[in-house]
Amino acid sequence: MAADNEFEDAGMPGATPANGPGGHGATAIRSSAAHMFTDVAHEPGASKPDPILVATGVTRTFGGLTAVDVDHVEIQRGAITALIGPNGAGKTTFFNLLTGFDKPDSGNWSFRGNDLARVPAYKVARMGMVRTFQLTKVLSKLTVIENMRTGATGQSGERLLKAMFPFLWRSQEEANTRKADELLERFLLIKKREDFAGSLSGGQRKLLEMARALMADPELVMLDEPMAGVNPALKQSLLGHVKSLRDEGRTVLFVEHDMDMVRDISDWVVVMAQGRIIAEGPPHSVMSDPRVIDAYLGAHHDVALDLTEDTILAEAEHELAAQRDEEPKGNHHA
Ligand SMILES: Nc1ncnc2c1ncn2[C@@H]1O[C@H](COP(=O)(O)OP(=O)(O)O)[C@@H](O)[C@H]1O
Ligand SMILES: [Mg+2]
């Protein structure tokens, strides 16, 4: 049954022997930022030595439903943090809030010490915090290289710049294209440069989204289910790319259902259930935490684990609309 598979994918006990890469010794090739967490309490809301993102009292309700109710959370700079939790836990909504794609009922958060609450998405991106989407429909009608260009920052005032300083504009555009091509090389998409993104496989779209996010040279990269819809052959390559983001000094926060991936690459895991942060810790200890197991067990019975196509399409539309709404308006008087 699909539900059973999904449950096992979620890495619950039995499916998870305690000898994962995070356990003992680790393999020689595995770099890690786990040392940063040596003195961090294994508790929800735990303080981190050098947090890049700090959120407090963030709530979001939809009608009578409290989708997000986060007391406090800190994300450590330079590490890979996984945000896990059963379907409907509020992970995507929390991402939407933090990145300005949705507005909270209450709460505050800061990024690199700057208050970010209620800052629109395009400004958030320009400040160095960029996210990818659980679903990547937005890209399909543009070519791969066009998609990459939309990831460059500084869109605000583009038309003005173009009209007034054509030479400046051209050199910026050329620099963007060079950067895009370098990223396409790195993510093994250069041969697809002129193809429509819609013709790419699920995994290639995820790669494209990640490459596109890097056009903004973000300090914090937030990935919503980077492994969803990715075939096994591409998974390893994607894992490598996520690690490389950390290894070049970026911070990564990702939502993921694939517990193998969580175990393999995360330095720290934050667990959400019913809108709240219910546990935090290194991967191997969090996954055996009874509170976490309970959360998955509880959700197992009353949450549909596989989304229907309608739900997926509706969600994609919602993401698209949110993105459109957040595009800068009114800056473009020429
Ligand atoms: N736009 C929306 N309108 C109404 N309810 C929503 C909306 N977005 C999310 N929700 C609800 O909020 C809860 C959290 O959803 P979500 O953040 O997508 O969870 P997750 O990403 O952890 O699976 C779910 O119950 C979901 O149905
Ligand atoms: Mg989600």
Side-chain angles (χ1 to χ4, degrees):
M1 260 172 65
D4 287 341
N5 289 340
E6 170 95 23
F7 188 59
E8 246 174 54
D9 283 349
M12 286 301 102
T16 315
N19 58 355
H24 335 273
T27 53
I29 44 163
R30 185 174 188 261
S31 55
S32 166
H35 62 275
M36 295 175 184
F37 297 93
T38 323
D39 298 325
V40 176
H42 297 185
E43 285 298 333
S47 303
K48 309 295 183 307
D50 182 19
I52 191 170
L53 179 69
V54 178
T56 304
V58 181
T59 64
R60 174 66 162 116
T61 55
F62 295 110
L65 174 91
T66 301
V68 170
D69 185 6
V70 170
D71 275 346
H72 189 77
V73 71
E74 300 186 3
I75 304 302
Q76 170 66 20
R77 188 192 314 265
I80 300 179
T81 300
L83 178 62
I84 68 167
N87 276 327
K91 305 179 298 295
T92 294
T93 305
F94 193 43
F95 261 37
N96 290 343
L97 294 172
L98 292 175
T99 51
F101 285 91
D102 189 11
K103 296 194 171 55
D105 296 312
S106 67
N108 284 293
W109 58 96
S110 64
F111 171 64
R112 291 163 56 206
N114 301 303
D115 189 7
L116 259 202
R118 293 164 194 84
V119 173
Y122 73 95
K123 281 190 187 160
V124 172
R126 221 184 290 149
M127 290 172 82
M129 178 166 155
V130 168
R131 59 87 62 92
T132 66
F133 288 89
Q134 188 169 351
L135 298 152
T136 53
K137 293 234 168 234
V138 288
L139 310 165
S140 55
K141 288 191 175 134
L142 297 179
T143 66
V144 166
I145 187 70
E146 284 168 345
N147 267 281
M148 293 296 286
R149 291 206 187 97
T150 68
T153 47
Q155 280 107 329
S156 177
E158 268 184 7
R159 279 181 215 168
L160 190 63
L161 184 66
K162 208 171 189 171
M164 295 180 67
F165 308 105
F167 53 97
L168 246 183
W169 172 253
R170 232 173 290 123
S171 69
Q172 190 188 327
E173 216 168 34
E174 278 162 20
N176 283 344
T177 302
R178 255 196 317 278
K179 192 170 178 184
D181 282 336
E182 279 166 22
L183 285 165
L184 290 178
E185 293 271 6
R186 169 174 163 190
F187 284 83
L188 307 177
L189 288 169
I190 194 71
K191 290 197 178 115
K192 306 280 179 184
R193 193 178 190 276
E194 307 302 332
D195 294 358
F196 286 113
S199 72
L200 301 179
S201 72
Q204 287 171 329
R205 282 187 223 191
K206 292 286 185 190
L207 287 173
L208 175 57
E209 253 214 317
M210 211 182 289
R212 177 178 173 248
L214 292 185
M215 285 295 288
D217 204 17
E219 222 176 298
L220 172 62
V221 186
M222 295 170 57
L223 308 166
D224 198 350
E225 301 205 21
M227 288 296 175
V230 176
N231 71 48
L234 260 181
K235 276 192 180 176
Q236 277 312 313
S237 144
L238 242 154
L239 279 176
H241 285 300
V242 177
K243 284 186 201 174
S244 73
L245 298 180
R246 176 192 57 200
D247 297 343
E248 66 194 25
R250 303 181 206 276
T251 306
V252 179
L253 175 63
F254 75 106
V255 170
E256 190 49 63
H257 279 299
D258 183 330
M259 289 301 138
D260 288 332
M261 176 181 183
V262 171
R263 214 175 294 115
D264 191 12
I265 69 168
S266 46
D267 303 304
W268 192 254
V269 181
V270 174
V271 188
M272 264 182 105
Q274 297 178 323
R276 297 169 182 273
I277 309 286
I278 60 154
E280 286 193 42
H284 55 279
S285 78
V286 145
M287 286 177 196
S288 55
D289 185 327
R291 286 171 297 188
V292 177
I293 296 162
D294 282 352
Y296 275 89
L297 283 172
H300 185 219
H301 296 294
D302 50 40
V303 176
L305 287 175
D306 51 339
L307 292 172
T308 65
E309 201 169 323
D310 281 352
T311 318
I312 291 171
L313 277 174
E315 206 174 316
E317 290 293 318
H318 179 72
E319 287 185 353
L320 243 176
Q323 213 170 29
R324 246 187 263 118
D325 289 348
E326 294 301 343
E327 252 147 39
K329 292 168 201 129
N331 295 348
H332 288 159
H333 52 84

